[in-house]
Amino acid sequence: MRRSFYEFLMTLRNADSVEPEAEFANNAFHDSSFPKHEESYQKISDYLELNAGYLPSMTIFDEAFQKYQEIDRK
């Protein structure tokens, strides 16, 4: 079974890191409305554009989603 993007993102969490992807993961963890079961780039992207003031750049999401897709193919 394929894991959701959120499940992948949680593997990037690191409270001590200042890396953009780790900060994104940390903030998504505290976002109770994050679409936790979603796998669709478009649906997650739409959510983030409207609701994620904690994400300074959508490029961070794009790069994380690319890693998600690469890992899922292995």
Side-chain angles (χ1 to χ4, degrees):
M1 183 173 156
R2 181 177 176 168
R3 64 181 166 172
S4 71
F5 174 72
Y6 179 81
E7 290 172 312
F8 163 76
L9 189 61
M10 292 302 100
T11 68
L12 304 178
R13 284 184 65 212
N14 180 345
D16 299 323
S17 178
V18 294
E19 291 296 316
E21 286 180 352
E23 289 185 344
F24 172 31
N26 293 336
N27 287 321
F29 175 75
H30 295 289
D31 179 355
S32 61
S33 297
F34 194 95
K36 293 177 175 63
H37 302 289
E38 193 56 64
E39 299 173 14
S40 163
Y41 172 89
Q42 193 60 52
K43 288 181 181 178
I44 299 167
S45 178
D46 289 348
Y47 171 81
L48 292 171
E49 287 178 6
L50 295 173
N51 301 291
Y54 56 79
L55 188 62
S57 169
M58 286 300 287
T59 302
I60 298 166
F61 164 65
D62 291 340
E63 291 171 358
F65 199 87
Q66 182 65 35
K67 288 180 184 178
Y68 165 65
Q69 290 183 311
E70 290 169 5
I71 289 172
D72 191 57
R73 288 186 199 133
K74 291 182 180 179

